[in-house]
mmCIF file of all heavy atoms in Angstrom:
data_model
loop_
_atom_site.group_PDB
_atom_site.id
_atom_site.type_symbol
_atom_site.label_atom_id
_atom_site.label_comp_id
_atom_site.label_asym_id
_atom_site.label_seq_id
_atom_site.Cartn_x
_atom_site.Cartn_y
_atom_site.Cartn_z
ATOM 1 N N VAL A 66 -14.251 -2.361 1.542
ATOM 2 C CA VAL A 66 -12.834 -2.208 1.884
ATOM 3 C C VAL A 66 -12.186 -3.582 1.953
ATOM 4 O O VAL A 66 -12.728 -4.502 2.583
ATOM 5 C CB VAL A 66 -12.657 -1.477 3.232
ATOM 6 C CG1 VAL A 66 -11.174 -1.446 3.631
ATOM 7 C CG2 VAL A 66 -13.204 -0.056 3.153
ATOM 8 N N LEU A 67 -11.051 -3.721 1.293
ATOM 9 C CA LEU A 67 -10.239 -4.933 1.407
ATOM 10 C C LEU A 67 -8.904 -4.571 2.031
ATOM 11 O O LEU A 67 -8.151 -3.767 1.477
ATOM 12 C CB LEU A 67 -10.004 -5.569 0.035
ATOM 13 C CG LEU A 67 -9.081 -6.801 0.043
ATOM 14 C CD1 LEU A 67 -9.723 -7.963 0.810
ATOM 15 C CD2 LEU A 67 -8.725 -7.230 -1.372
ATOM 16 N N GLN A 68 -8.616 -5.133 3.207
ATOM 17 C CA GLN A 68 -7.308 -4.977 3.840
ATOM 18 C C GLN A 68 -6.443 -6.144 3.393
ATOM 19 O O GLN A 68 -6.745 -7.303 3.685
ATOM 20 C CB GLN A 68 -7.444 -4.966 5.358
ATOM 21 C CG GLN A 68 -8.224 -3.785 5.903
ATOM 22 C CD GLN A 68 -8.387 -3.867 7.417
ATOM 23 O OE1 GLN A 68 -8.654 -4.930 7.962
ATOM 24 N NE2 GLN A 68 -8.236 -2.746 8.084
ATOM 25 N N VAL A 69 -5.366 -5.861 2.692
ATOM 26 C CA VAL A 69 -4.496 -6.905 2.154
ATOM 27 C C VAL A 69 -3.384 -7.225 3.150
ATOM 28 O O VAL A 69 -2.595 -6.359 3.512
ATOM 29 C CB VAL A 69 -3.878 -6.465 0.811
ATOM 30 C CG1 VAL A 69 -2.949 -7.548 0.267
ATOM 31 C CG2 VAL A 69 -4.979 -6.135 -0.200
ATOM 32 N N ASN A 70 -3.344 -8.456 3.606
ATOM 33 C CA ASN A 70 -2.219 -8.941 4.415
ATOM 34 C C ASN A 70 -1.256 -9.663 3.467
ATOM 35 O O ASN A 70 -1.194 -10.890 3.407
ATOM 36 C CB ASN A 70 -2.708 -9.872 5.522
ATOM 37 C CG ASN A 70 -3.228 -9.114 6.720
ATOM 38 O OD1 ASN A 70 -2.648 -8.115 7.162
ATOM 39 N ND2 ASN A 70 -4.344 -9.562 7.263
ATOM 40 N N TYR A 71 -0.529 -8.869 2.706
ATOM 41 C CA TYR A 71 0.344 -9.376 1.651
ATOM 42 C C TYR A 71 1.416 -10.313 2.210
ATOM 43 O O TYR A 71 1.701 -10.339 3.409
ATOM 44 C CB TYR A 71 0.993 -8.209 0.908
ATOM 45 C CG TYR A 71 1.560 -7.129 1.808
ATOM 46 C CD1 TYR A 71 2.737 -7.332 2.510
ATOM 47 C CD2 TYR A 71 0.912 -5.909 1.972
ATOM 48 C CE1 TYR A 71 3.270 -6.348 3.330
ATOM 49 C CE2 TYR A 71 1.420 -4.920 2.789
ATOM 50 C CZ TYR A 71 2.606 -5.148 3.466
ATOM 51 O OH TYR A 71 3.113 -4.178 4.298
ATOM 52 N N ARG A 72 2.007 -11.087 1.295
ATOM 53 C CA ARG A 72 3.118 -11.951 1.685
ATOM 54 C C ARG A 72 4.223 -11.099 2.309
ATOM 55 O O ARG A 72 4.632 -10.097 1.733
ATOM 56 C CB ARG A 72 3.646 -12.696 0.462
ATOM 57 C CG ARG A 72 2.726 -13.798 -0.052
ATOM 58 C CD ARG A 72 3.147 -14.280 -1.421
ATOM 59 N NE ARG A 72 2.939 -13.236 -2.437
ATOM 60 C CZ ARG A 72 3.450 -13.277 -3.657
ATOM 61 N NH1 ARG A 72 4.238 -14.276 -4.031
ATOM 62 N NH2 ARG A 72 3.186 -12.302 -4.525
ATOM 63 N N GLY A 73 4.663 -11.504 3.474
ATOM 64 C CA GLY A 73 5.582 -10.692 4.262
ATOM 65 C C GLY A 73 4.943 -10.218 5.541
ATOM 66 O O GLY A 73 5.624 -9.764 6.457
ATOM 67 N N SER A 74 3.611 -10.309 5.625
ATOM 68 C CA SER A 74 2.893 -9.937 6.845
ATOM 69 C C SER A 74 3.137 -10.984 7.932
ATOM 70 O O SER A 74 3.430 -12.149 7.657
ATOM 71 C CB SER A 74 1.385 -9.832 6.574
ATOM 72 O OG SER A 74 1.117 -8.903 5.555
ATOM 73 N N THR A 75 2.994 -10.561 9.173
ATOM 74 C CA THR A 75 3.059 -11.502 10.277
ATOM 75 C C THR A 75 1.681 -12.108 10.518
ATOM 76 O O THR A 75 0.678 -11.638 9.999
ATOM 77 C CB THR A 75 3.540 -10.793 11.561
ATOM 78 O OG1 THR A 75 2.717 -9.631 11.779
ATOM 79 C CG2 THR A 75 4.977 -10.360 11.451
ATOM 80 N N GLY A 76 1.650 -13.158 11.331
ATOM 81 C CA GLY A 76 0.380 -13.766 11.711
ATOM 82 C C GLY A 76 -0.023 -14.973 10.889
ATOM 83 O O GLY A 76 -1.031 -15.615 11.174
ATOM 84 N N PHE A 77 0.769 -15.307 9.863
ATOM 85 C CA PHE A 77 0.415 -16.422 8.985
ATOM 86 C C PHE A 77 1.569 -17.422 8.862
ATOM 87 O O PHE A 77 1.660 -18.162 7.889
ATOM 88 C CB PHE A 77 0.024 -15.893 7.603
ATOM 89 C CG PHE A 77 -1.073 -14.869 7.662
ATOM 90 C CD1 PHE A 77 -0.774 -13.511 7.655
ATOM 91 C CD2 PHE A 77 -2.401 -15.255 7.777
ATOM 92 C CE1 PHE A 77 -1.772 -12.558 7.741
ATOM 93 C CE2 PHE A 77 -3.406 -14.312 7.868
ATOM 94 C CZ PHE A 77 -3.100 -12.960 7.858
ATOM 95 N N GLY A 78 2.444 -17.415 9.852
ATOM 96 C CA GLY A 78 3.564 -18.340 9.852
ATOM 97 C C GLY A 78 4.853 -17.689 9.391
ATOM 98 O O GLY A 78 4.855 -16.699 8.659
ATOM 99 N N ARG A 79 5.963 -18.266 9.838
ATOM 100 C CA ARG A 79 7.274 -17.705 9.536
ATOM 101 C C ARG A 79 7.579 -17.727 8.040
ATOM 102 O O ARG A 79 8.128 -16.772 7.493
ATOM 103 C CB ARG A 79 8.351 -18.482 10.302
ATOM 104 C CG ARG A 79 9.770 -18.000 10.050
ATOM 105 C CD ARG A 79 10.773 -18.723 10.929
ATOM 106 N NE ARG A 79 12.138 -18.391 10.581
ATOM 107 C CZ ARG A 79 12.770 -17.273 10.928
ATOM 108 N NH1 ARG A 79 12.127 -16.370 11.657
ATOM 109 N NH2 ARG A 79 14.010 -17.046 10.577
ATOM 110 N N GLU A 80 7.202 -18.810 7.367
ATOM 111 C CA GLU A 80 7.477 -18.913 5.930
ATOM 112 C C GLU A 80 6.794 -17.788 5.161
ATOM 113 O O GLU A 80 7.371 -17.205 4.238
ATOM 114 C CB GLU A 80 7.027 -20.272 5.410
ATOM 115 C CG GLU A 80 7.333 -20.486 3.938
ATOM 116 C CD GLU A 80 6.882 -21.851 3.432
ATOM 117 O OE1 GLU A 80 6.505 -22.697 4.260
ATOM 118 O OE2 GLU A 80 6.896 -22.044 2.201
ATOM 119 N N TYR A 81 5.568 -17.481 5.537
ATOM 120 C CA TYR A 81 4.821 -16.413 4.885
ATOM 121 C C TYR A 81 5.504 -15.068 5.117
ATOM 122 O O TYR A 81 5.647 -14.255 4.201
ATOM 123 C CB TYR A 81 3.390 -16.392 5.429
ATOM 124 C CG TYR A 81 2.414 -15.539 4.645
ATOM 125 C CD1 TYR A 81 1.811 -16.033 3.487
ATOM 126 C CD2 TYR A 81 2.063 -14.269 5.077
ATOM 127 C CE1 TYR A 81 0.892 -15.266 2.769
ATOM 128 C CE2 TYR A 81 1.150 -13.498 4.377
ATOM 129 C CZ TYR A 81 0.569 -14.004 3.221
ATOM 130 O OH TYR A 81 -0.338 -13.233 2.519
#
Side-chain angles (χ1 to χ4, degrees):
V66 175
L67 176 66
Q68 295 177 318
V69 179
N70 278 318
Y71 46 74
R72 288 167 292 166
S74 303
T75 52
F77 305 97
R79 179 175 173 78
E80 183 180 350
Y81 192 82

